[in-house]
Amino acid sequence: MKALQYFEDYEIDAEQHFNGEYLLTKDEIVEVGRRWDPQPWHTDEEAAKDSVFGGLVAASAHLFAIASWFGSRMPTQTAVIAALGFDSIRIHGPARVGDSLSATARCVEKRESRSKSDRGIVVSNMELKNQNGELVLSMNTTFMVLRR
């Protein structure tokens, strides 16, 4: 069982590396693209070659979903009550077929709840990078965490 991380355990600027990597496949990029963002650079390998990307790339919704997937693979289990928001979501570069994505998160803010003494609010900046260390996605996640 993973160690449980409470509000008090978060330190500003402390970085966590998520467990595992996520391999982007052609089939998944096309499937997600067809369902959620049917642009040719997500759904049609031949048409994508003539796009500004020069090939198939993952949709932004796909990258957000992968970032959410990584949230369950932190080295510690967070005593999280609920996610409160996702802000400053940025796509920095394309994620392509065969890319292996990894994730890190850095605590950028924390504060005690003003209305409930048993919890606090944590803001974490998450980054997805490909196998070359190139930034693909970044976002801030705000979540409510139990106090000890």
Side-chain angles (χ1 to χ4, degrees), residues 4-94:
L4 198 56
Q5 185 171 4
Y6 291 91
F7 173 78
E8 294 84 355
D9 299 322
Y10 280 89
E11 295 179 21
I12 301 296
D13 289 329
E15 191 170 272
Q16 290 187 319
H17 298 272
F18 292 77
N19 294 327
E21 294 183 341
Y22 194 95
L23 180 64
L24 281 170
T25 66
K26 174 185 167 186
D27 289 344
E28 186 176 77
I29 288 173
V30 170
E31 176 187 349
V32 172
R34 282 185 180 149
R35 182 168 175 102
W36 301 109
D37 192 1
Q39 301 295 333
W41 46 88
H42 303 315
T43 62
D44 183 324
E45 192 169 22
E46 286 306 310
K49 289 178 185 176
D50 294 328
S51 74
V52 297
F53 301 108
L56 285 174
V57 295
S60 55
H62 192 176
L63 295 175
F64 179 80
I66 293 167
S68 296
W69 177 85
F70 269 113
S72 67
R73 282 153 181 80
M74 291 181 68
T76 57
Q77 181 177 339
T78 302
V80 68
I81 298 169
L84 301 176
F86 303 93
D87 301 296
S88 303
I89 299 171
R90 299 287 180 265
I91 308 299
H92 298 273

Side-chain angles (χ1 to χ4, degrees), residues 60-125:
S60 55
H62 192 176
L63 295 175
F64 179 80
I66 293 167
S68 296
W69 177 85
F70 269 113
S72 67
R73 282 153 181 80
M74 291 181 68
T76 57
Q77 181 177 339
T78 302
V80 68
I81 298 169
L84 301 176
F86 303 93
D87 301 296
S88 303
I89 299 171
R90 299 287 180 265
I91 308 299
H92 298 273
R96 302 177 181 281
V97 173
D99 277 356
S100 182
L101 303 178
S102 60
T104 58
R106 184 175 53 84
C107 179
V108 295
E109 181 183 337
K110 67 182 263 190
R111 63 187 181 281
E112 296 175 2
S113 171
R114 292 187 277 277
S115 60
K116 304 214 184 242
S117 62
D118 67 337
R119 62 196 69 179
I121 309 299
V122 175
V123 180
S124 182
N125 177 261

